[in-house]
Amino acid sequence: MDILGVIPARYSSTRFEGKILADLLGKPMIQHVWERAKQSLLLDEVLIACDEEKVAVVCREFGAKVVMTAKGHTSGTDRICEVVNPIDVKIVVNIQADEPLVHPMMIDTVARALSEDKTLSVATLMKKIEDPALISNPDVVKVVVDKNNFALYFSRSPIPFKARNSSVGEPVVYKHIGLYAYTKDFLFIYKNIPTSSLEKTECLEQLRILQDGYRIKVLETRYDTIGVDTPEDLKQVKIYVEKIK
């Protein structure tokens, strides 16, 4: 197998328990994610990795392939590693279970990057921020990149920050979208990198990669998502989906 999509699905979310099964226009939220992932042109297979049988039952009912994992994983990355360890696969795409608006082309963008450039180990996405209010929102992660679109830094703070004596216009600010493609080899390197000081400070797992000296390719997308962390986020998603129907 060349490219595998994995949706790590933890039931016991701290801020919104059971959100992956929450109703979104007549379907559990995770079904929307799975259906969009299945529309990818590059994924050879899509698996849902979950730790609760009640999640597995719902997912099997709508036709998904499900793999049960241990409950003790501290991150989706660890859950994915358990799933892919016995599978002969080159590239793994980590698809967030709480991103029901993920577009299939977003998945194909990160998968294609690793497929076409064998020097890359990790790829992710960024989207230009259009709403200035989002720039100061710590729940919206920002990213800055170098001239080759490799990440320089990710932060919950506004980056780049325009100094008061700066002579340039308003900077373009990019939101980081947490969809990742990894080579299988790097996925296990990443799993074994110790938690870094920057990761602990910003509560951003991807900073572990940068602080350990590895590179992350960041590709711009015209598509956006709304991550569901609270019931209020789910209401926003419902309003958005109803508008575009």
Side-chain angles (χ1 to χ4, degrees), residues 94-113:
N94 179 351
I95 304 165
Q96 303 296 323
D98 57 4
E99 297 274 4
L101 300 181
V102 63
H103 195 284
M105 285 188 65
M106 298 167 78
I107 296 170
D108 288 344
T109 296
V110 293
R112 185 177 294 109

Side-chain angles (χ1 to χ4, degrees), residues 80-98:
I80 289 174
C81 285
E82 179 183 343
V83 170
V84 304
N85 187 41
I87 300 174
D88 184 13
V89 63
K90 296 175 183 176
I91 296 167
V92 181
V93 182
N94 179 351
I95 304 165
Q96 303 296 323
D98 57 4

Side-chain angles (χ1 to χ4, degrees), residues 152-165:
L152 292 171
Y153 195 64
F154 298 86
S155 182
R156 298 184 181 277
S157 298
I159 54 172
F161 178 82
K162 184 183 177 183
R164 277 183 290 181
N165 60 347

Side-chain angles (χ1 to χ4, degrees), residues 149-184:
N149 276 65
F150 286 100
L152 292 171
Y153 195 64
F154 298 86
S155 182
R156 298 184 181 277
S157 298
I159 54 172
F161 178 82
K162 184 183 177 183
R164 277 183 290 181
N165 60 347
S166 172
S167 60
V168 302
E170 289 301 318
V172 176
V173 181
Y174 287 94
K175 168 188 175 180
H176 173 233
I177 295 176
L179 176 74
Y180 295 92
Y182 309 93
T183 62
K184 181 181 177 181

Side-chain angles (χ1 to χ4, degrees), residues 15 30 40 47 51 94 106 112 121 125 137 151 194 214 217:
R15 296 171 67 184
I30 194 169
S40 162
L47 300 177
D51 60 356
N94 179 351
M106 298 167 78
R112 185 177 294 109
S121 299
L125 296 172
N137 184 343
Y214 294 97
K217 187 74 171 183

Side-chain angles (χ1 to χ4, degrees), residues 4 28 36 59 69 88 106 141 149 168 175 202 217 220 227:
L4 172 67
R36 286 171 175 257
C59 294
T69 67
D88 184 13
M106 298 167 78
V141 178
N149 276 65
V168 302
K175 168 188 175 180
E202 296 255 16
K217 187 74 171 183
E220 187 172 358

Side-chain angles (χ1 to χ4, degrees), residues 20-160:
I20 57 175
L21 298 184
D23 179 77
L24 177 55
L25 303 179
K27 299 177 183 178
M29 184 172 70
I30 194 169
Q31 184 174 349
H32 290 267
V33 179
W34 176 81
E35 287 176 350
R36 286 171 175 257
K38 291 290 286 184
Q39 293 172 33
S40 162
L41 300 177
L42 297 182
L43 296 181
D44 296 310
E45 189 170 48
V46 178
L47 300 177
I48 293 177
C50 62
D51 60 356
E52 292 276 0
E53 184 59 32
K54 56 188 166 186
V55 176
V57 169
V58 171
C59 294
R60 291 188 185 111
E61 284 178 352
F62 60 73
K65 291 187 178 180
V66 179
V67 178
M68 297 299 297
T69 67
K71 289 188 178 182
H73 292 305
T74 57
S75 71
T77 306
D78 289 335
R79 197 174 306 282
I80 289 174
C81 285
E82 179 183 343
V83 170
V84 304
N85 187 41
I87 300 174
D88 184 13
V89 63
K90 296 175 183 176
I91 296 167
V92 181
V93 182
N94 179 351
I95 304 165
Q96 303 296 323
D98 57 4
E99 297 274 4
L101 300 181
V102 63
H103 195 284
M105 285 188 65
M106 298 167 78
I107 296 170
D108 288 344
T109 296
V110 293
R112 185 177 294 109
L114 266 61
S115 180
E116 294 181 351
D117 186 346
K118 304 303 182 186
T119 68
L120 300 180
S121 299
V122 192
T124 190
L125 296 172
M126 64 181 181
K127 169 74 170 63
K128 182 180 177 181
I129 294 179
E130 307 289 349
D131 180 358
L134 297 179
I135 295 174
S136 58
N137 184 343
D139 292 330
V140 177
V141 178
K142 278 70 69 173
V143 59
V144 289
V145 298
D146 67 15
K147 65 178 183 179
N148 297 312
N149 276 65
F150 286 100
L152 292 171
Y153 195 64
F154 298 86
S155 182
R156 298 184 181 277
S157 298
I159 54 172

